[in-house]
Amino acid sequence: MLSGFRALDLTNEKGFLCGKILAGLGADVIKIERPGGDPARNIGPFYHGIVDPERSLYWFSYNSSKRGITLNIEAEEGKQLFMKLVSQADFIIESSPPGYMDRLGLGYEELSKVNPKIIVTSITPFGQTGPYKCYEASDISIMAMSGLMSTTGDSNRPPLRLGLDMSYCLAGAHAAVGTMFALHHRQISGEGQHVDVSMYECLFVANYREPVMWEYEKRLMTRMGNRFSRGESSTQQVWQCKDGYVTWTLIDQPEMLKAIVECMDEEGMAGALKSVDWGAIHISRLSEQQTKQWEKLIAAFFLKHTKKELQQLSLQRNLTLSVINEVRDVAESEHLACRGYWRDLEHPELGTSITSPGFLFLSSETQSRERFRAPLIGEHNEQIYEKELCLSKQQIANLKNVNAI
Amino acid sequence: MNKLALDGLKVLDFGWVGAGPLATKDLADNGATVIKIESTKRLDLTRRSPPFKDGIIDANHAGFFVWTNSSKYSVTLNLHHPQGVNVAKRLVSWGDVVLENLGCGFMDRIGLSYEELKKIKLDIIMVSVSIMGRTGPYANFKGYGSSGAAQSGHAFLTGWTDRDPLLSPIAFSDAITPRIAVVATMAALQYKNRTGKGQYIDVSQVETMAQCLAPAFLNYFANGHEDTRIGNRSPCAAPHGVFPCKGEDNWCAIAVLNDLQWRSFCNVIGRPDLLENPKFMTIMDRKNNEDELEEAVEEWTGNRTREQVMTTLQGVGIPAGMVQDQKDLAMDPQLKHRQTSVKLQHPVIGLCGHAAPPMKFSKTPAQVRAAPCLGEHNYHVYTQLLGMSDEEFVSLQNSGVFD
């Protein structure tokens, strides 16, 4: 869908996903790393546990389908080479601290002189301006500030972070949106622009309705672990089953509640639930005691069955239950296999291929597939510098000498 | 008025609750004309859920709807009325993009499948968002945003090591997936520009989440290792966690990511002795003695406010962020500076908060407009955009087509 477009990707781990999304859509995304490789190559997990910049599964995950070159934009010669690349590019994606690119003379104003069509997407923790613009951030620290953590976790323990680096992924996804919007505008107007993405704001707007709960009712949601707040009481969301966990909750859907009670009754486990008229009650008006009584019966039923059984039952009888999948369950999912989700990406340097998520979405017309594995350090230096930019071997040797590439 | 990035783009929003409406909101805030198709007979969950302005339980007093649906037009249309679908088809012939996240098969059942839409407009772009996707053995799966976390493995990977998986009240896949749907829509428009062809796009919340969780899957496929919950710790950094500060339920997250930061950390908290302690020398050492390490950190944070902890550590370049709630965020100086929540005049509620896009465009700054009342734009859309005469409009209205 985006073949013919080229992106220069200067990001660190806080912005990888943006370029990966564009690359998966067919754009030629060139990952630019400093000579020696990006520090993010030290983030694990590692292939076979070998801590090595060419073995980082984290790097593989978020940089697939990108080509890779080394370039030192702080060196004068590196800067010039960068400008050459910019003149032939559509997008620049970068995640350096605010002011860094400007100080190098590579800010948006300068770059747009070289290429008025260039779209520069900057991803930073807090944005290019504002009192926190120079704050350092890590996934956990920015998630803490965003409001997302204050409602996540148990009441008797610290607030919890969501698994893996979700704030980086969210910022990357928003950055891809911004880049595409700027592209749309450019095709009508002919002009590029600067897109300033703030990870903090991406997280803040991901707060579901907590902001309006405060604005309208001055109510703050508190951490309730796996219980779901409901008016007078709360309902359980996560249940143990025979071989793991499922998620389900008492919700005002009389048809569904009738259905689950029927399922329980077929095994003689419905108990007091059998006589409840679900159309006549409101879950949010039940007492804590009543809710817990009913949940005890339901818990016993779930404990008797496996994840697979409960998922099947839910599909057949519309119970709105979901298995809580472990990594293995997802990897071996029949559903994802049918969808052709997983793709083996060749790693000739490792003598193997690694199965990876294969696409972002399905389409009737085009493919959004992962095409090849993440690049090795400087893997495409020759291809891009010699063949595409037509630099001579001597010029390349000189550039290496001054540590420009 | 400034130009906006998506001026001229025409979108029909058959979405409900989260994933669908958030996608079209991004488009609307940036200038697309987004018509939300609603019905008095089937109110969006966000129009029925608290909070309500002044406690008035009414479709137009619902704050959650406002927060999720800025800048859109709203029409009411009864899709179960025989003529309702005909009107919908007329809207399709006006539009460039149709986006929906309704139950599996719903669009097909009412006669608005992609095949049908193509007959009206050959190059229509239709984007469907669902938990599991529209094909495959689980295509019929009914769920909510947190099903995305459960199905994708994210819930299993969130929580304490010694406790159950945590299903966060934040349906995170409802945050990521709409943006992928938007990117898909924009890419499809690019494709249409080049080839003249539309397409049908099927976006699954589980599949987009799994992309974000890719390191866990690669770890499984390449190493046979099954990741599990690690609380607030990190496999490659220590100290890394959320630490108690002075006062009830006051916390600050701290991440010391490398040895340089460790040095700064020990010095600024007045504990240079920790630098000499062999238990904490390297990252591996610190991981091996993490309980003791965290006690030392807590000793320091426990005597300070969360603000002090955050500003002291930020002062020496260490990622530290205090845990904030909505009360804090309503006064947050950075969000204020960036105007991330903007107060707009809503016809019924009055001045109220609307979420702005989390990014700034230098040439086409977004313009957030107030969320619509139910059916607010019926007359405008049906007569001005679709060209109905007043007579036809009134006749259809009287027949209940616009219920």
Side-chain angles (χ1 to χ4, degrees):
Chain A
M1 289 156 112
L2 294 184
S3 51
F5 291 107
R6 171 176 285 193
L8 302 176
D9 181 342
L10 293 158
T11 60
N12 63 13
E13 66 273 15
K14 294 189 170 73
F16 285 162
L17 191 70
C18 179
K20 179 183 151 123
I21 291 171
L22 299 179
L25 293 170
D28 174 26
V29 178
I30 301 173
K31 186 83 198 70
I32 299 180
E33 303 178 64
R34 69 181 72 164
D38 193 294
R41 288 173 177 274
N42 292 322
I43 302 175
F46 294 92
Y47 178 76
H48 290 183
I50 301 166
V51 179
D52 181 288
E54 301 286 20
R55 301 276 188 284
S56 160
L57 297 176
Y58 188 96
W59 174 267
F60 293 167
S61 294
Y62 297 121
N63 292 293
S64 48
S65 303
K66 301 180 190 176
R67 295 199 286 165
I69 58 176
T70 49
L71 182 61
N72 179 5
I73 59 171
E74 290 179 1
E76 196 49 48
E77 297 83 351
K79 242 179 255 190
Q80 286 167 20
L81 206 44
F82 182 64
M83 287 304 207
K84 249 202 190 104
L85 289 166
V86 169
S87 65
Q88 296 169 5
D90 296 286
F91 316 118
I92 296 171
I93 318 160
E94 63 92 16
S95 57
S96 59
Y100 174 79
M101 294 292 275
D102 287 330
R103 281 194 298 278
L104 291 180
L106 298 174
Y108 172 70
E109 293 305 326
E110 292 305 311
L111 297 179
S112 64
K113 285 183 194 147
V114 167
N115 182 352
K117 284 179 158 352
I118 197 74
I119 291 164
V120 179
T121 301
S122 296
I123 303 164
T124 54
F126 297 96
Q128 298 290 318
T129 62
Y132 290 166
K133 74 174 189 201
C134 292
Y135 263 25
E136 292 293 329
S138 177
D139 181 79
I140 196 174
S141 71
I142 202 166
M143 194 170 282
M145 292 175 74
S146 73
L148 294 181
M149 280 178 77
S150 68
T151 56
T152 304
D154 301 324
S155 54
N156 60 358
R157 278 200 181 170
L160 259 178
R161 170 190 172 198
L162 298 177
L164 278 86
D165 291 332
M166 288 300 105
S167 48
Y168 301 170
C169 292
L170 188 61
H174 275 280
V177 167
T179 307
M180 295 300 290
F181 284 0
L183 176 63
H184 188 93
H185 172 72
R186 184 182 91 182
Q187 290 178 324
I188 299 166
S189 66
E191 61 181 7
Q193 62 182 309
H194 189 198
V195 185
D196 165 11
V197 180
S198 153
M199 195 181 293
Y200 188 43
E201 292 169 59
C202 294
L203 291 170
F204 173 69
V205 303
N207 275 284
Y208 215 43
R209 60 173 150 171
E210 289 74 18
V212 288
M213 277 309 221
W214 173 253
E215 182 186 344
Y216 289 64
E217 294 186 6
K218 291 293 179 272
R219 258 211 300 160
L220 291 172
M221 315 279 276
T222 54
R223 294 191 299 289
M224 299 187 75
N226 276 323
R227 296 198 70 80
F228 193 70
S229 171
R230 290 250 172 227
E232 304 293 308
S233 66
S234 58
T235 57
Q236 188 167 334
Q237 277 202 108
V238 173
W239 311 76
Q240 268 191 17
C241 65
K242 199 164 175 190
D243 61 346
Y245 300 90
V246 295
T247 173
W248 180 89
T249 197
L250 277 167
I251 198 170
D252 284 310
Q253 281 180 7
E255 289 309 310
M256 182 276 283
L257 293 170
K258 252 177 67 186
I260 196 172
V261 173
E262 270 166 21
C263 293
M264 291 169 70
D265 194 34
E266 282 155 24
E267 301 181 23
M269 297 185 80
L273 292 169
K274 207 165 160 178
S275 55
V276 178
D277 176 5
W278 299 106
I281 62 143
H282 282 274
I283 305 288
S284 59
R285 300 209 198 112
L286 294 174
S287 69
E288 187 85 28
Q289 194 195 33
Q290 179 67 278
T291 316
K292 291 227 154 103
Q293 241 173 49
W294 288 349
E295 286 179 344
K296 208 163 159 212
L297 294 166
I298 294 163
F301 174 68
F302 287 154
L303 210 51
K304 254 192 80 186
H305 293 278
T306 62
K307 288 184 291 196
K308 196 160 183 198
E309 284 166 7
L310 290 171
Q311 189 74 90
Q312 276 303 102
L313 196 62
S314 180
L315 272 181
Q316 283 158 15
R317 315 281 285 266
N318 275 339
L319 303 181
T320 65
L321 174 147
S322 172
V323 165
I324 291 183
N325 275 331
E326 306 185 21
V327 173
R328 171 205 294 254
D329 299 324
V330 184
E332 298 179 2
S333 153
E334 186 203 338
H335 176 80
L336 290 178
C338 274
R339 301 256 301 169
Y341 184 64
W342 302 108
R343 187 164 171 85
D344 290 340
L345 294 184
E346 287 299 323
H347 279 257
E349 81 288 357
L350 298 175
T352 186
S353 64
I354 301 180
T355 311
S356 312
F359 60 74
L360 276 173
F361 53 83
L362 289 178
S363 160
S364 62
E365 184 69 29
T366 58
Q367 299 226 349
S368 74
R369 287 210 153 276
E370 293 307 324
R371 291 170 287 144
F372 44 85
R373 61 137 174 75
L376 304 174
I377 301 172
E379 184 170 357
H380 300 95
N381 278 3
E382 192 182 309
Q383 197 176 77
I384 289 171
Y385 291 133
E386 267 187 55
K387 304 215 168 63
E388 292 174 21
L389 288 190
C390 301
L391 297 181
S392 69
K393 291 219 191 294
Q394 186 58 50
Q395 282 172 304
I396 292 179
N398 292 342
L399 288 164
K400 280 198 182 137
N401 281 341
V402 294
N403 206 35
I405 64 175
Chain B
M1 206 172 91
N2 284 14
K3 50 195 177 218
L4 292 166
L6 305 182
D7 280 336
L9 181 60
K10 296 176 278 190
V11 179
L12 291 178
D13 174 346
F14 284 90
W16 78 306
V17 197
L22 286 170
T24 54
K25 172 183 150 61
D26 281 351
L27 298 168
D29 289 339
N30 282 285
T33 305
V34 174
I35 298 176
K36 189 167 176 60
I37 318 278
E38 305 193 70
S39 170
T40 57
K41 300 209 175 301
R42 196 170 176 263
L43 286 182
D44 191 309
L45 196 67
T46 55
R47 282 201 189 269
R48 290 184 281 134
S49 307
F52 294 99
K53 177 74 176 174
D54 299 331
I56 298 169
I57 300 176
D58 166 80
N60 293 324
H61 283 78
F64 194 13
F65 180 86
V66 166
W67 189 248
T68 320
N69 291 279
S70 55
S71 311
K72 299 181 195 174
Y73 292 97
S74 166
V75 298
T76 47
L77 184 60
N78 184 357
L79 292 170
H80 294 293
H81 189 291
Q83 294 194 58
V85 176
N86 287 340
V87 174
K89 288 184 174 176
R90 285 163 76 173
L91 284 168
V92 171
S93 69
W94 163 88
D96 302 308
V97 174
V98 172
L99 194 140
E100 65 93 11
N101 70 321
L102 301 171
C104 181
F106 180 83
M107 293 294 272
D108 291 1
R109 280 195 302 278
I110 60 170
L112 294 178
S113 67
Y114 176 59
E115 292 310 314
E116 287 301 315
L117 298 191
K118 270 208 295 194
K119 291 179 192 162
I120 303 160
K121 198 169 207 186
L122 194 57
D123 61 359
I124 193 73
I125 292 165
M126 182 175 186
V127 181
S128 202
V129 182
S130 60
I131 302 285
M132 302 292 280
R134 295 300 188 198
T135 62
Y138 285 177
N140 227 357
F141 181 85
K142 277 197 174 68
Y144 298 88
S146 49
S147 315
Q151 288 284 341
S152 65
H154 196 217
F156 188 77
L157 295 172
T158 298
W160 300 106
T161 33
D162 61 341
R163 289 191 176 178
D164 292 348
L166 187 89
L167 202 64
S168 169
I170 312 292
F172 203 77
S173 56
D174 267 357
I176 288 263
T177 309
R179 276 82 217 191
I180 302 303
V182 171
V183 171
T185 305
M186 300 309 295
L189 286 164
Q190 286 299 318
Y191 186 79
K192 187 175 94 165
N193 279 351
R194 256 193 6 253
T195 65
K197 293 185 184 171
Q199 58 191 284
Y200 174 71
I201 293 177
D202 171 1
V203 188
S204 140
Q205 292 210 19
V206 171
E207 288 163 3
T208 54
M209 272 309 283
Q211 283 272 7
C212 301
L213 303 172
F217 296 115
L218 266 62
N219 205 5
Y220 176 78
F221 285 119
N223 295 336
H225 180 89
E226 292 183 58
D227 280 3
T228 181
R229 297 180 283 293
I230 53 171
N232 283 329
R233 289 184 173 176
S234 158
C236 55
H240 185 284
V242 176
F243 299 92
C245 304
K246 224 198 279 192
E248 178 77 31
D249 205 31
N250 276 331
W251 309 88
C252 189
I254 301 173
V256 174
L257 300 175
N258 52 52
D259 288 339
L260 205 62
Q261 286 182 356
W262 171 240
R263 183 157 285 275
S264 307
F265 180 76
C266 294
N267 285 325
V268 84
I269 70 167
R271 293 293 304 273
D273 60 291
L274 295 174
L275 291 171
E276 308 305 318
N277 190 331
K279 285 187 185 169
F280 306 134
M281 218 53 105
T282 64
I283 171 69
M284 272 289 84
D285 296 327
R286 295 197 285 281
K287 291 290 306 164
N288 286 335
N289 297 290
E290 201 156 7
D291 288 345
E292 200 181 317
L293 176 67
E294 289 182 348
E295 270 168 33
V297 177
E298 282 175 26
E299 218 180 280
W300 181 74
T301 62
N303 282 322
R304 282 158 184 79
T305 66
R306 54 188 182 150
E307 288 86 357
Q308 282 171 328
V309 172
M310 180 170 82
T311 52
T312 305
L313 295 179
Q314 286 287 355
V316 294
I318 292 167
M322 61 186 195
V323 175
Q324 301 197 106
D325 59 26
Q326 294 304 322
K327 183 163 167 228
D328 300 318
L329 290 164
M331 301 182 301
D332 182 278
Q334 182 65 17
L335 295 177
K336 226 181 205 105
H337 167 85
R338 301 276 291 189
Q339 296 184 303
T340 315
S341 170
V342 56
K343 287 239 187 296
L344 299 171
Q345 193 72 21
H346 181 274
V348 166
I349 296 176
L351 216 56
C352 57
H354 291 65
M359 61 187 83
K360 304 260 178 271
F361 292 91
S362 63
K363 300 237 171 83
T364 60
Q367 262 157 48
V368 183
R369 285 154 286 148
C373 288
L374 186 65
E376 182 179 341
H377 303 97
N378 280 5
Y379 186 74
H380 171 77
V381 169
Y382 293 134
T383 62
Q384 305 306 305
L385 297 184
L386 287 196
M388 276 183 203
S389 66
D390 280 4
E391 288 75 31
E392 188 187 4
F393 176 77
V394 170
S395 162
L396 288 173
Q397 190 172 63
N398 290 342
S399 314
V401 175
F402 300 149
D403 279 354

